[in-house]
Amino acid sequence: MGSSMAQLRKILKDVCDKTGVCVRLAPAGEGETSLSLEFCGERCEGSIAGTDGGAQRAARLVEYLVANADARTLLPDRDEHLKEILLGEGGEWYAFRFVTKYALRDGACFAVDIVPDKRLAECFELVKSCIAESRDLAVTMDRTRIAVVRFPDGEQSASEFGQFVWQSLYEELGVHASIGIGCEVVSFSEIAHSYSQAVTAVRVSEMFHDAGEVHSYREYLLVRMLEDVPKSRLEEYVAQFRIGGMDEVFADEEMYETAEAFLESSLNVSETSRNLYMHRNTLMYRLDKIERITGLNIRKFSDAVTFRILSVLHRLLGRKKEEPSS
């Protein structure tokens, strides 16, 4: 037993060094969570500090790691392991083993989905060079997309990082990319949620033909909330607004694109003019025309929100008309 206990203590020290979860080989006391460790056919009691849900999950994960300490060679290689975690396979313990095996410091992180229009292999090498000095991780998910796990350092916002990657790909390789950014999660074990959101941001931005190259999941939270709502209910929502003239605006490509660009530019007239290469007077004329037709002055925040909601409903209804009936 002495030899196996020494090995067990070494494994627990390794887990503590790499994850911060420290195990005491003694029955749990007040304010601690108990765990049962099975190693080399022997079983002993242990405990970790805390009694909340996080401590209980950590205890179960440590139990699994100890029980399977001799099975590490069965894990896939690093890239395949990371890819499976991002796709939500294996659960928390699988992510925990990744952190342990590769001596990563766990913490807040978010996922980025990068879909270049060409030259994927070269794009992947460039993305890796962009994060070379950080703790960030990158992997090719398939023949069309690259995923990045970003551990924020406080120097760059998520949006700034996305813009930096997009600009690097364009300036150095001449590649256009669609980039989606998921919400930040508190631990690497939850990164699959953020990656799913990043993929959704890319999908919805392409579906809605939105301007810009970098989109966050938060931009499309309203779309996701309404996406699965039946067509009849969406039509009820539109009717309840009682805003006339919207169909005319939506049918006029110039007016519609101008309105969307104005919203994307945070209702800033000067920025919209620059982005559209449009004279300020022309922009003001179009905004005034939208107000005459619909009664919505989208220079006001409340009217801009109403316009945005009606725009989302219009696009979702258009999609549902194109979908085959079941």
Side-chain angles (χ1 to χ4, degrees):
M1 179 65 178
S3 172
S4 60
M5 280 298 294
Q7 292 180 53
L8 175 58
R9 291 181 186 280
K10 183 177 179 181
I11 292 169
L12 293 177
K13 182 178 184 305
D14 188 47
V15 170
C16 180
D17 288 344
K18 294 173 180 175
T19 68
V21 179
C22 298
V23 178
R24 189 169 69 91
L25 290 176
E30 186 176 352
E32 294 182 319
T33 296
S34 65
L35 41 82
S36 179
L37 301 173
E38 185 174 346
F39 184 70
C40 294
E42 302 286 343
R43 185 180 293 273
C44 66
E45 290 185 83
S47 58
I48 62 174
T51 58
D52 59 8
Q56 292 172 14
R57 288 194 298 274
R60 304 294 82 80
L61 288 167
V62 171
E63 288 175 345
Y64 181 90
L65 289 171
V66 170
N68 293 274
D70 59 347
R72 295 188 182 194
T73 56
L74 299 179
L75 288 172
D77 64 32
R78 181 185 173 111
D79 284 356
E80 193 63 30
H81 196 166
L82 177 57
K83 189 186 303 184
E84 291 174 357
I85 290 169
L86 289 168
L87 294 175
E89 299 174 10
E92 272 190 283
W93 69 266
Y94 207 51
F96 196 77
R97 291 188 74 184
F98 184 88
V99 169
T100 303
K101 182 174 181 179
Y102 296 107
L104 301 177
R105 293 203 319 273
D106 198 1
C109 52
F110 61 87
V112 181
D113 183 39
I114 304 168
V115 186
D117 63 355
K118 57 186 175 183
R119 304 170 70 178
L120 183 77
E122 293 171 75
C123 290
F124 181 55
E125 293 304 318
L126 181 56
V127 168
K128 286 197 297 183
S129 72
C130 289
I131 62 173
E133 302 300 320
S134 69
R135 296 192 291 143
D136 301 344
L137 307 168
V139 64
T140 54
M141 298 300 291
D142 53 34
R143 294 181 179 180
T144 63
R145 63 201 329 132
I146 299 163
V148 171
V149 177
R150 174 82 170 159
F151 294 88
D153 54 13
E155 295 182 4
Q156 264 184 333
S157 69
S159 177
E160 288 170 341
F161 175 73
Q163 290 290 348
F164 166 67
V165 171
W166 188 93
Q167 190 169 351
S168 298
L169 292 172
Y170 180 69
E171 291 181 352
E172 298 193 31
L173 297 177
V175 169
H176 289 272
S178 296
I179 297 180
I181 300 174
C183 297
E184 187 173 298
V185 293
V186 298
S187 168
F188 179 74
S189 64
E190 300 174 19
I191 195 62
H193 299 299
S194 182
Y195 180 66
S196 175
Q197 293 170 347
V199 171
T200 296
V202 170
R203 176 181 65 82
V204 177
S205 70
E206 292 174 347
M207 179 179 76
F208 279 71
H209 308 292
D210 278 349
E213 303 84 15
V214 180
H215 297 277
S216 72
Y217 179 75
R218 287 190 178 91
E219 291 177 51
Y220 299 112
L221 199 51
L222 176 62
V223 178
R224 288 295 298 122
M225 292 168 64
L226 295 172
E227 203 169 18
D228 299 323
V229 173
K231 177 183 174 183
S232 59
R233 181 58 61 85
L234 294 180
E235 290 172 337
E236 287 178 22
Y237 291 157
V238 172
Q240 287 171 6
F241 276 101
R242 293 184 172 84
I243 303 291
M246 291 301 296
D247 287 343
E248 182 180 343
V249 173
F250 294 147
D252 187 316
E253 189 173 333
E254 285 187 345
M255 267 201 298
Y256 193 22
E257 288 183 355
T258 299
E260 288 293 306
F262 185 62
L263 298 183
E264 289 288 334
S265 300
S266 303
L267 315 187
N268 186 302
V269 171
S270 298
E271 184 178 340
T272 307
S273 297
R274 285 194 302 271
N275 291 340
L276 292 178
Y277 302 101
M278 179 185 294
H279 193 280
R280 182 186 180 93
N281 290 345
T282 304
L283 173 61
M284 298 300 289
Y285 170 78
R286 291 185 182 176
L287 296 179
D288 287 340
K289 186 175 180 181
I290 290 171
E291 184 176 4
R292 287 197 305 273
I293 294 171
T294 66
L296 294 174
N297 177 7
I298 63 174
R299 284 162 287 200
K300 291 170 49 181
F301 177 75
S302 58
D303 283 0
V305 170
T306 298
F307 187 95
R308 182 60 173 169
I309 293 172
L310 286 168
S311 173
V312 169
L313 290 170
H314 168 73
R315 295 188 189 192
L316 288 174
L317 283 168
R319 280 186 59 225
K320 290 180 182 295
K321 287 178 183 177
E322 296 170 2
E323 293 173 354
S325 56
S326 55

